[in-house]
Amino acid sequence: MPTHATYKYPAVNIDQLLNQGGGVLTIPLQRNALISKYRIVVVLGSLSGGSSPSWTVSASNPIIQNVQVVADNNTIIQMDTDMLQELNKLFEHTQPNGLIFDIPMADYTVDNIEIPGTEFPSYAYINNNLLLKIPPLSQVTSGSPTASSGTTVYLVEEQYLKNPGALVMVKKIQNVATLGITGDNYLVPSPFLTVDGLYKMVLYQFSQNGQLSDNLVNYIKTELNGNITLSDEYYSSLKAKDQSIFRQPLDPGYVADVYMPHVDVRDLLPLLNPNEITSVKQVFNTTTSPVQVKAVKIEYMLNW
């Protein structure tokens, strides 16, 4: 028996959203299978009006800006697509182009091996929805076109067919913060390491005035309960460690704190019990200010 199958959803035209200033496209999802991933491909249409109009879609200017997967009132996935594309690059070795996005519902090793039991049980919920933030046409074109015609979203789900046994929820959620001081910035409690699960990794992005850079942060320190140093790393050393783990360099401005690179769940960072972990403090030492931080945490939850 095969381990996976695929299902294609009806194609969705997004011209109206683009032409009317952008908005959120909601696609109802099936609820009859274990889901490994959702794959989105956008095919650009023709442009009319303006002066020599053309598309300017790229990895840094994607046609979809943010993705969410919501099951009933439970947000399983929520992140901007610049973060999603970096995760796709690290785990799937793809080159981002702003048009193709894989939304991993299961967890994967750094060798892109699916970890059975981490798939999304779509059948366990009543209302499953994929939400895609679409930008205004002016943001993804040049030449001031007045309309797009034929721009289409194609969605395919990849289903896991075997019985994985016990299931664990894996959430991938984004948070943001601004580091307003040149020097030590104390985030207490940390918005990126919350006491509610078991952590596989956190992917960070650092920028200033919209420009990503590896020269904005000197070091990152994480403390538990005010007296336990969990990590104290120079940005440059953490970046080098990431390259060793993923066997490729992260893009400028990105760095990851990886706790479980493979399948040994004993490596997960346990931030579960608020009676044991009363506080998580992070210190970001910056070379300038302000610095914007965006982070996606990959977190195992004990209960669906």
Side-chain angles (χ1 to χ4, degrees):
M1 285 289 293
T3 58
H4 292 85
T6 55
Y7 168 82
K8 70 179 188 306
Y9 285 81
V12 181
N13 182 285
I14 59 170
D15 291 329
Q16 185 174 2
L17 279 171
L18 287 164
N19 297 340
Q20 296 184 0
V24 175
L25 171 66
T26 300
I27 301 177
L29 300 171
Q30 292 194 116
R31 49 179 304 271
N32 61 357
L34 286 172
I35 308 301
S36 298
K37 66 178 65 173
Y38 296 104
R39 174 167 290 121
I40 300 168
V41 176
V42 182
V43 175
L44 301 175
S46 59
L47 297 171
S48 59
S51 176
S52 301
S54 63
W55 292 99
T56 59
V57 173
S58 65
S60 59
N61 190 32
I63 192 69
I64 297 172
Q65 296 178 321
N66 183 278
V67 299
Q68 292 187 62
V69 176
V70 180
D72 294 339
N73 293 317
N74 197 349
T75 300
I76 312 298
I77 304 284
Q78 190 282 117
M79 69 183 80
D80 293 338
T81 49
D82 53 358
M83 303 296 285
L84 177 60
Q85 289 182 114
E86 189 72 10
L87 288 171
N88 288 169
K89 173 193 167 185
L90 294 177
F91 287 93
E92 300 185 14
H93 306 283
T94 57
Q95 285 302 314
N97 63 7
L99 292 169
I100 301 172
F101 311 93
D102 275 1
I103 304 175
M105 301 305 295
D107 191 25
Y108 294 80
T109 70
V110 294
D111 300 309
N112 198 29
I113 297 172
E114 184 174 335
I115 301 175
T118 62
E119 293 81 10
F120 168 54
S122 63
Y123 48 78
Y125 296 90
I126 303 299
N127 296 302
N128 300 325
N129 289 289
L130 172 63
L131 286 73
L132 307 176
K133 184 180 179 182
I134 309 298
L137 186 63
S138 60
Q139 191 167 319
V140 286
T141 58
S142 63
S144 302
T146 56
S148 160
S149 177
T151 300
T152 305
V153 171
Y154 296 93
L155 173 65
V156 172
E157 73 178 26
E158 185 174 296
Q159 304 168 351
Y160 187 74
L161 300 180
K162 291 193 172 182
N163 182 356
L167 291 170
V168 61
M169 176 192 292
V170 182
K171 287 191 172 184
K172 303 173 180 73
I173 304 294
Q174 173 181 295
N175 281 297
V176 297
T178 297
L179 307 177
I181 300 171
T182 300
D184 284 345
N185 292 261
Y186 296 89
L187 299 186
V188 188
S190 168
F192 310 128
L193 291 169
T194 51
V195 183
D196 54 6
L198 300 151
Y199 283 78
K200 174 195 178 73
M201 64 175 280
V202 180
L203 174 68
Y204 297 97
Q205 180 204 82
F206 297 95
S207 65
Q208 186 174 56
N209 299 321
Q211 298 299 309
L212 305 182
S213 174
D214 285 331
N215 300 314
L216 301 174
V217 175
N218 284 317
Y219 62 78
I220 304 171
K221 184 177 182 179
T222 302
E223 291 183 354
L224 307 180
N225 297 345
N227 60 0
I228 302 171
T229 299
L230 176 66
S231 61
D232 189 4
E233 293 245 21
Y234 288 109
Y235 182 96
S236 57
S237 65
L238 190 56
K239 189 101 175 182
K241 183 164 71 174
D242 290 340
Q243 182 165 348
S244 175
I245 290 171
F246 291 104
R247 296 187 291 280
Q248 61 176 312
L250 276 69
D251 286 326
Y254 290 93
V255 71
D257 221 343
V258 182
Y259 305 106
M260 188 185 78
H262 300 291
V263 195
D264 191 342
V265 295
R266 293 173 297 180
D267 292 334
L268 291 167
L269 172 63
L271 297 180
L272 279 169
N273 190 339
N275 294 319
E276 295 179 356
I277 308 297
T278 57
S279 69
V280 180
K281 177 176 78 174
Q282 288 192 283
V283 183
F284 294 86
N285 181 273
T286 59
T287 62
T288 184
S289 61
V291 173
Q292 285 70 46
V293 188
K294 191 185 293 186
V296 169
K297 58 182 181 178
I298 301 180
E299 187 179 12
Y300 281 53
M301 317 300 288
L302 289 186
N303 298 303
W304 278 99

